[in-house]
């Protein structure tokens, strides 16, 4: 029997609602961005973000239903992002989801935002299923996770300091590029030489963790010590150092844990060079590499609805454990 999930995402600065059927068929996915509000601060201002979520949450939900051509009578469950994220932003989504679930008497499924990125590739790849190795690479997270089954995870390693996306944004700010920094560095890199500057690769041998603060410092020192800087070459060299680090550790982990499928998700997975290099290396080395479309890389409710669907059908309590409180520092944990 078909199950239709309403997903709500409000963990940071995108207000999003989506209607997804059986975890893979996106009937609608509405995203309201706050980029123009936060770019003058070169980062997300939490209070402004939560205010915008309050303004936009009902509007995006109405648009999602309209675009999907359905209504609450056909909804099987509501999934929302419980964490991690900004407390005020998360609270808007949680209260909205909880209120709607009560009004329309449908189950409420809390979703870890990182699970959304884990499952984003399911939307367009009907053959994809666990087990697989996942690299989550975003502004706040850079993590390697083995997905043994739906809701069964083995955490290998994560960010010790700056996540990859955070490093992109900080380097872009240093170079006086516009916000968000990741897409700007990707754009500049297309015009530069990735071998022009020998930036370090923070591989952290003996660990599956990531650390990009030293690489960021290397860029800062290079800028301080050089009067003439080719911005395109610097961006390309920095970007390649990040990609080399991510590729090396991910494919090494896939080999060691005998994972033939690699799933990459998160905002940084929208980077064009990263996408090309992961796909080409996977093909050369015999791994099946999955990346979501760019629209599902950044924060969106379709991935939350997708993850919510699989939790709803596989979790013994149908995803509803009775606990519906936001968790800004939420860790990825097995629930099955």
């Amino acid at each position: 029997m078909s199950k239709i999930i309403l997903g709500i995402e409000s963990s940071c600065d995108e207000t999003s609602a989506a209607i997804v059927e059986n975890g893979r068929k996106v009937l609608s996915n509405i995203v309201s961005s706050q980029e123009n509000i936060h770019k003058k601060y070169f980062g997300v201002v939490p209070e402004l973000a939560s205010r915008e979520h309050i303004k936009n949450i009902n509007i995006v939900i109405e648009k999602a239903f309209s675009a999907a051509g359905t209504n609450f009578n056909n909804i099987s469950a509501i999934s929302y992002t419980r964490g991690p994220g900004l407390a005020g932003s998360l609270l808007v989504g949680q209260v909205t989801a909880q209120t709607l679930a009560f009004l329309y008497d449908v189950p409420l499924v809390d979703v870890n935002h990182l699970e959304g990125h884990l499952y984003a590739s399911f939307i367009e790849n009907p053959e994809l299923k666990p087990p697989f190795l996942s690299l989550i690479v975003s502004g706040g997270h850079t993590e390697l996770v083995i997905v043994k089954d739906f809701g069964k995870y083995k955490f290998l390693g994560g960010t010790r300091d700056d996540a990859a996306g955070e490093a992109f944004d900080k380097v872009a700010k240093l170079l006086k590029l516009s916000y968000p920094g990741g897409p700007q560095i990707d754009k500049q890199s297309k015009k530069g030489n990735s071998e022009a500057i020998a930036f370090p690769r923070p591989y952290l041998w003996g660990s599956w963790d990531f650390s990009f603060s030293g690489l960021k410092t290397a860029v800062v020192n290079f800028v301080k010590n050089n009067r003439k800087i080719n911005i395109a070459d610097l961006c390309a060299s920095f970007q390649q150092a990040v990609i080399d680090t991510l590729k090396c550790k991910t494919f090494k982990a896939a080999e060691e844990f005998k994972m033939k499928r690699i799933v990459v998700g998160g905002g940084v997975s929208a980077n064009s060079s990263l996408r090309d290099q992961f796909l080409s290396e996977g093909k050369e080395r015999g791994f099946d590499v999955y990346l979501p479309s760019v629209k599902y890389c950044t924060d969106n409710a379709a991935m939350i609805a997708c993850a919510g669907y699989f939790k709803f059908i596989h979790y013994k309590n149908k995803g509803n454990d009775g606990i519906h409180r936001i968790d800004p520092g939420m860790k990825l944990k097995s629930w099955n």
Side-chain angles (χ1 to χ4, degrees):
M1 183 178 176
S2 178
K3 295 192 181 299
I4 298 177
I5 309 296
L6 164 64
I8 297 174
E9 157 62 19
S10 66
S11 63
C12 191
D13 62 331
E14 273 89 21
T15 313
S16 183
I19 310 293
V20 178
E21 183 177 358
N22 293 336
R24 301 195 190 249
K25 184 178 181 181
V26 177
L27 304 180
S28 65
N29 184 42
I30 308 300
V31 180
S32 176
S33 173
Q34 300 178 19
E35 182 178 315
N36 289 333
I37 293 172
H38 300 286
K39 66 181 181 181
K40 62 182 176 181
Y41 305 105
F42 215 93
V44 177
V45 181
E47 184 175 346
L48 295 180
S50 57
R51 289 178 181 177
E52 289 301 307
H53 285 305
I54 293 171
K55 293 179 184 177
N56 296 324
I57 190 73
N58 289 332
I59 296 171
V60 298
I61 291 173
E62 289 175 4
K63 287 183 177 179
F65 275 108
S66 177
T70 189
N71 55 52
F72 272 104
N73 294 328
N74 298 318
I75 295 299
S76 304
I78 299 172
S79 63
Y80 74 98
T81 304
R82 181 181 173 191
L86 301 175
S89 296
L90 290 168
L91 191 60
V92 175
Q94 182 249 308
V95 170
T96 301
Q98 197 168 22
T99 302
L100 292 173
F102 175 78
L103 287 174
Y104 293 97
D105 192 27
V106 294
L108 186 60
V109 185
D110 62 286
V111 172
N112 187 309
H113 182 77
L114 301 182
E115 281 187 284
H117 288 308
L118 284 177
Y119 289 98
S121 289
F122 278 64
I123 294 172
E124 299 161 304
N125 298 283
E127 77 284 2
L128 179 59
K129 62 181 180 180
F132 56 80
L133 174 70
S134 180
L135 170 67
I136 304 170
V137 56
S138 65
H141 301 271
T142 307
E143 303 184 1
L144 279 172
V145 179
I146 293 176
V147 179
K148 298 180 178 180
D149 201 347
F150 295 106
K152 291 183 179 179
Y153 311 118
K154 180 179 180 180
F155 177 82
L156 298 182
T159 306
R160 291 187 181 180
D161 39 59
D162 288 358
E166 184 179 1
F168 269 96
D169 283 341
K170 287 181 177 178
V171 168
K173 184 177 182 180
L174 173 70
L175 299 177
K176 295 181 171 55
L177 301 176
S178 61
Y179 177 85
Q184 296 304 315
I185 289 180
D186 189 9
K187 181 179 179 181
Q188 290 289 332
S189 295
K190 296 181 189 300
K191 301 178 288 185
N193 176 9
S194 63
E195 298 180 353
I197 306 168
F199 287 127
R201 271 63 171 163
Y203 291 124
L204 301 183
W205 299 121
S207 166
W208 298 116
D209 286 345
F210 295 91
S211 169
F212 291 104
S213 63
L215 174 58
K216 178 195 67 180
T217 301
V219 176
V220 171
N221 290 335
F222 183 87
V223 172
K224 284 182 179 179
N225 296 326
N226 292 272
R227 291 184 178 181
K228 292 184 178 181
I229 297 173
N230 184 310
I231 297 295
D233 284 350
L234 191 153
C235 287
S237 299
F238 162 74
Q239 177 175 277
Q240 192 59 50
V242 174
I243 294 173
D244 283 349
T245 304
L246 296 172
K247 276 196 309 179
C248 178
K249 295 184 78 80
T250 301
F251 283 97
K252 185 176 177 60
E255 287 181 342
E256 183 160 329
F257 294 98
K258 296 178 172 57
M259 294 281 114
K260 297 302 294 181
R261 289 184 289 270
I262 296 173
V263 175
V264 186
V268 180
S269 66
N271 180 281
S272 61
S273 292
L274 182 149
R275 297 174 73 85
D276 291 342
Q277 293 183 45
F278 263 81
L279 289 170
S280 62
E281 184 148 344
K283 186 176 182 179
E284 290 175 8
R285 298 174 61 173
F287 293 96
D288 294 324
V289 176
Y290 295 88
L291 290 125
S293 292
V294 171
K295 63 183 177 181
Y296 299 130
C297 291
T298 52
D299 293 350
N300 67 91
M303 69 181 191
I304 301 302
C306 174
Y309 165 79
F310 288 107
K311 188 173 184 180
F312 181 61
I313 64 171
H314 289 287
Y315 189 33
K316 62 182 179 180
N317 291 329
K318 290 299 180 189
N320 190 345
D321 57 9
I323 301 173
H324 291 288
R325 295 186 294 271
I326 62 166
D327 186 354
M330 192 175 189
K331 304 296 184 183
L332 183 65
K333 295 181 180 180
S334 297
W335 45 258
N336 203 4

